């Protein structure tokens, strides 16, 4: 359900945040950063392979052999990628929730994940792509192409939240139908796609990180720069125009930021669900609707969730592991149901 109440109603039901909320927002940032540092250390220290803290330390700073390969070559790379992908998904989700005025929106709403997945299947089936490096560029091209198509079908300069969501939903349905058809007809594509489509950090390498890092940086800067215009748009189109916001430019840049961020994360890790939905929604409950606070919190706390889910997946299935996309889906399903029920109760 799209949430687009009249400006007058939002002005009456959204008073200025009390002093307690301001204190909570300010104090919460260092706590969130501390939680992020802690989960980074845990992600490096704990893995499917059982190593002592002394062995982890030795592998991190002194050993270029077996311990170094495990700690630096595997755990450190997947931790860095988890930081980048988590922040990207959180920022993309926050931007899309503001753009569509739907607090239950996520990066998959506009078809970006579907575009990336369909492009990877096409690369595997018709172009013989087998390497992760090839997946990255096909996935990013697919995400960017779908983002542009959604913007065009949504009305381009006349785009509205409803049009964008409808266009994204229609394109997603068509692309997932194409994806399933190709994978059913091509057993080899099905086998190679099975691991990528569940979402995982296990294949992280320094090469992959270097390839997607520029996109993460550009998308992050662009998303953070949109905080004030998105705040104006939250109050309705008429009010935003009165405040001097350029609606068409803000929507176009928001689509670009979300596409770059989600496209880069999906290209590197595969489609990971619920991170971009849960964290911005939870953050909004204690920061209020101000995007100047929501975006930094989302960028910090989303990697906490993603890396925490990744660590949990390594522990519960030792000596193997569960992919992080499976863990976030298992955790996110009940949370999503709770958020929907709470929202429905609040509206009654």
């Amino acid at each position: 359900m799209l949430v687009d109440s009249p400006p007058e109603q939002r002005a009456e039901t959204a008073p200025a945040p009390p002093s307690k909320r301001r204190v909570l927002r300010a104090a919460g940032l260092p706590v969130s950063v501390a939680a992020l540092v802690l989960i980074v250390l845990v992600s490096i220290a704990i893995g499917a392979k059982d190593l002592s803290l002394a062995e982890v330390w030795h592998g991190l700073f002194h050993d270029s052999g077996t311990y170094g390969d495990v700690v630096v070559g595997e755990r450190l790379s997947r931790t860095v990628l988890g930081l980048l992908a988590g922040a990207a998904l959180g920022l993309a989700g926050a931007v899309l929730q503001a753009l569509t005025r739907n607090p239950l929106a996520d990066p998959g709403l506009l078809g970006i994940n579907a575009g990336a997945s369909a492009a990877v299947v096409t690369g595997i089936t018709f172009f013989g792509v087998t390497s992760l490096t090839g997946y990255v560029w096909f996935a990013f091209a697919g995400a960017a192409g779908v983002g542009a198509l959604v913007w065009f079908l949504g009305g381009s300069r006349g785009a509205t939240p409803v049009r964008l969501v409808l266009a994204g939903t229609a394109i997603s349905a068509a692309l997932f139908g194409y994806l399933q058809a190709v994978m059913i007809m091509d057993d080899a594509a099905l086998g190679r796609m099975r691991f990528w489509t569940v979402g995982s950090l296990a294949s992280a390498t320094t090469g992959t990180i270097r390839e997607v890092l520029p996109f993460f940086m550009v998308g992050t800067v662009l998303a953070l720069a949109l905080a004030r215009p998105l705040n104006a748009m939250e109050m309705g189109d008429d009010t935003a125009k009165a405040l001097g916001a350029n609606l068409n430019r803000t929507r176009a840049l928001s689509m670009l930021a979300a596409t770059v961020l989600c496209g880069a994360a999906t290209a590197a890790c595969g489609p990971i669900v619920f991170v971009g939905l849960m964290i911005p929604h939870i953050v909004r409950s204690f920061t209020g609707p101000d995007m100047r606070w929501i975006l930094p919190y989302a960028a910090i706390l989303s990697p906490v969730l993603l890396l925490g889910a990744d660590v949990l997946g390594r522990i519960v299935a030792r000596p193997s592991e569960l992919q992080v996309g499976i863990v976030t889906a298992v955790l996110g399903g009940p949370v999503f149901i709770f958020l929907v029920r709470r929202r429905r109760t609040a509206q009654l």
Side-chain angles (χ1 to χ4, degrees):
M1 178 185 295
L2 290 176
V3 179
D4 191 8
S5 55
E8 295 81 2
Q9 180 179 344
R10 282 195 296 273
E12 294 174 0
T13 59
S19 58
K20 182 178 180 181
R21 172 171 285 177
R22 289 196 293 269
V23 172
L24 182 62
R25 291 188 306 196
L29 276 178
V31 174
S32 300
V33 172
L36 180 60
V37 172
L38 178 61
I39 197 63
V40 165
L41 295 177
V42 171
S43 178
I44 295 173
I46 297 177
K49 184 177 180 61
D50 192 12
L51 297 178
S52 68
L53 292 179
E55 291 169 336
V56 170
W57 180 268
H58 189 73
L60 192 60
F61 294 104
H62 303 291
D63 188 11
S64 59
T66 302
Y67 295 154
D69 291 340
V70 171
V71 177
V72 178
E74 297 178 12
R75 295 185 189 176
L76 186 60
S77 294
R78 72 190 294 168
T79 299
V80 173
L81 184 59
L83 283 171
L84 296 173
L89 292 172
L91 286 171
V95 168
L96 289 177
Q97 288 175 14
L99 174 65
T100 61
R101 298 180 191 141
N102 181 357
L104 297 180
D106 77 328
L109 186 66
L110 299 184
I112 298 172
N113 285 348
S117 299
V120 171
V121 168
T122 300
I124 291 173
T125 305
F126 299 107
F127 295 95
V129 177
T130 58
S131 68
L132 182 62
T133 301
Y135 293 170
V136 166
W137 290 106
F138 269 91
F140 190 82
V146 168
L149 184 59
V150 168
W151 176 248
F152 174 76
L153 294 179
S156 300
R157 294 181 63 84
T160 64
V162 174
R163 289 179 179 178
L164 292 174
V165 171
L166 290 176
T169 302
I171 293 172
S172 293
L175 288 178
F176 276 123
Y178 163 77
L179 188 152
Q180 295 298 323
V182 172
M183 292 200 329
I184 288 173
M185 292 186 296
D186 187 344
D187 291 338
L190 176 61
R192 289 194 291 269
M193 279 293 295
R194 186 180 293 114
F195 182 79
W196 186 83
T197 53
V198 297
S200 175
L201 300 176
S203 299
T205 64
T206 54
T208 302
I209 294 171
R210 283 196 300 267
E211 288 178 355
V212 297
L213 181 60
F215 299 106
F216 284 128
M217 295 174 63
V218 170
T220 298
V221 171
L222 183 57
L224 293 175
L226 288 169
R228 289 183 181 275
L230 288 173
N231 274 345
M233 289 183 60
E234 287 273 3
M235 295 187 290
D237 290 357
D238 293 338
T239 304
K241 289 179 181 178
L243 294 173
N246 187 321
L247 299 184
N248 292 327
R249 183 177 62 190
T250 300
R251 286 176 180 144
L253 292 177
S254 297
M255 278 289 300
L256 178 61
T259 299
V260 170
L261 288 168
C262 187
T266 304
C269 309
I272 297 176
V273 297
F274 286 119
V275 175
L277 165 65
M278 286 191 292
I279 294 301
H281 191 84
I282 292 171
V283 165
R284 189 178 287 104
S285 67
F286 63 86
T287 64
D290 192 340
M291 295 297 291
R292 293 173 298 178
W293 289 96
I294 292 174
L295 290 173
Y297 267 107
I300 295 171
L301 292 179
S302 295
V304 174
L305 172 62
L306 187 60
L307 288 175
D310 188 45
V311 171
L312 182 62
R314 300 181 220 171
I315 294 174
V316 297
R318 280 182 173 178
S320 184
E321 65 178 73
L322 286 177
Q323 283 73 29
V324 66
I326 297 175
V327 180
T328 58
V330 171
L331 295 176
V335 173
F336 180 74
I337 293 172
F338 169 76
L339 294 176
V340 171
R341 288 183 59 85
R342 187 179 70 170
R343 181 166 187 82
R344 181 181 178 185
T345 301
Q347 291 176 341
L348 295 178

